[in-house]
Amino acid sequence: MKTQAVSDGRTPDSRPAAVELDQVRLSLPATSGRVEILRGLNLRVEMGQSVAVVGPSGAGKTTMLMVIAGLETADDGYVRVAGHDLAGFDEAGLARLRRERMGIVFQGFHLAPTMTALENVALPLEFAGQSQAAQRARDELAAVGLAERAGHYPAQLSGGEQQRVAIARALVARPDILLADEPTGNLDEAASATVMELLFRLQQERQAALILITHNPDHAVRAGRVEHLEDGRITPQVSTPL
């Protein structure tokens, strides 16, 4: 990956961006050799903006989020997140950037089964050594409508409730950027509607940038912008979400 640094993450018009991907390329190993997943991907998301990314399975949507989060390293191109060029970070620095500036919600809930909802939400703050982690986690659970479930373990919660806990955990550090990868993929229709209503409401209230990967057209159209990713690139044509 190129190593040219960007000093402040601002473009010539001086507007800060939450995420900037510039000609990003990434290939991954496969049994038949390396497969190119991202093929010169360009994307810009402003602070406070919500963007839905749609496209067929295998197009590279999840890989794109992994690159933005610093969990995969691009082979070429520039990745700037919250004003920082990720090429300049080691693993510890990337982990700190994720903890301080990003919230990530996956399709799977990834809650610690031996911890209560409150403990799961407080965990990122405790890792960061922040004070009043429990109270802040309690406030965040109230924000997602689960104040009365704070002492419950994941196995005692429905799928929709578990995903709401995961959203509370992603937002508890008040990140600038929220990455959501098919956050309702494991939920029924009613729970999906509740989770998406909550996700967009909190994103707007907190003015975090949201990048949402979804196959659901009803969810996609709620975003401020819809981008179609196909064959490792953002395509310019208008397309119906798949």
Side-chain angles (χ1 to χ4, degrees):
M1 184 174 176
K2 295 178 182 177
T3 56
Q4 179 179 334
V6 176
S7 60
D8 60 4
R10 294 174 184 266
T11 54
D13 64 6
S14 296
R15 291 181 300 173
V19 172
E20 293 178 279
L21 305 180
D22 184 5
Q23 289 296 308
V24 170
R25 296 181 178 274
L26 174 66
S27 60
L28 296 174
T31 54
S32 58
R34 295 190 71 84
V35 176
E36 195 171 17
I37 307 298
L38 303 180
R39 303 166 180 260
L41 176 62
N42 296 311
L43 179 69
R44 179 184 172 94
V45 179
E46 305 294 344
M47 290 292 187
Q49 188 176 41
S50 61
V51 176
V53 180
V54 302
S57 297
K61 301 185 298 298
T62 294
T63 301
M64 178 194 71
L65 279 197
M66 297 287 279
V67 168
I68 293 170
L71 296 169
E72 291 280 2
T73 302
D75 300 325
D76 199 8
Y78 301 112
V79 181
R80 305 177 185 93
V81 175
H84 301 283
D85 188 339
L86 297 195
F89 286 79
D90 58 15
E91 289 300 321
L94 288 170
R96 186 166 54 252
L97 184 66
R98 281 192 295 272
R99 186 173 64 237
E100 295 176 355
R101 310 300 295 272
M102 302 183 211
I104 307 175
V105 182
F106 297 100
Q107 181 173 330
F109 315 127
H110 299 296
L111 302 178
T114 58
M115 292 184 172
T116 65
L118 180 68
E119 291 167 338
N120 269 283
V121 176
L123 199 58
L125 299 180
E126 291 176 346
F127 276 139
Q130 296 189 23
S131 61
Q132 299 183 322
Q135 184 56 54
R136 289 178 61 183
R138 200 177 301 278
D139 293 342
E140 207 64 55
L141 281 173
V144 300
L146 292 176
E148 301 304 316
R149 307 288 267 169
H152 289 70
Y153 292 91
Q156 299 171 310
L157 303 173
S158 69
E161 288 173 332
Q162 289 186 62
Q163 191 61 296
R164 285 153 66 189
V165 172
I167 291 172
R169 181 182 58 191
L171 289 170
V172 71
R174 297 300 175 105
D176 299 310
I177 301 160
L178 184 59
L179 307 176
D181 188 3
E182 290 285 357
T184 62
N186 289 333
L187 305 179
D188 61 30
E189 185 175 350
S192 293
T194 298
V195 165
M196 293 308 298
E197 178 68 31
L198 176 68
L199 188 65
F200 277 107
R201 177 174 62 79
L202 291 175
Q203 177 265 330
Q204 291 169 5
E205 289 177 358
R206 310 286 176 85
Q207 281 298 290
L210 169 64
I211 301 177
L212 168 69
I213 290 176
T214 182
H215 283 94
N216 189 315
D218 293 331
H219 297 166
V221 297
R222 298 191 61 172
R225 189 171 99 230
V226 179
E227 297 283 4
H228 190 281
L229 197 156
E230 188 169 357
D231 196 28
R233 303 181 184 91
I234 296 291
T235 58
Q237 69 268 24
V238 176
S239 179
T240 300
L242 300 180

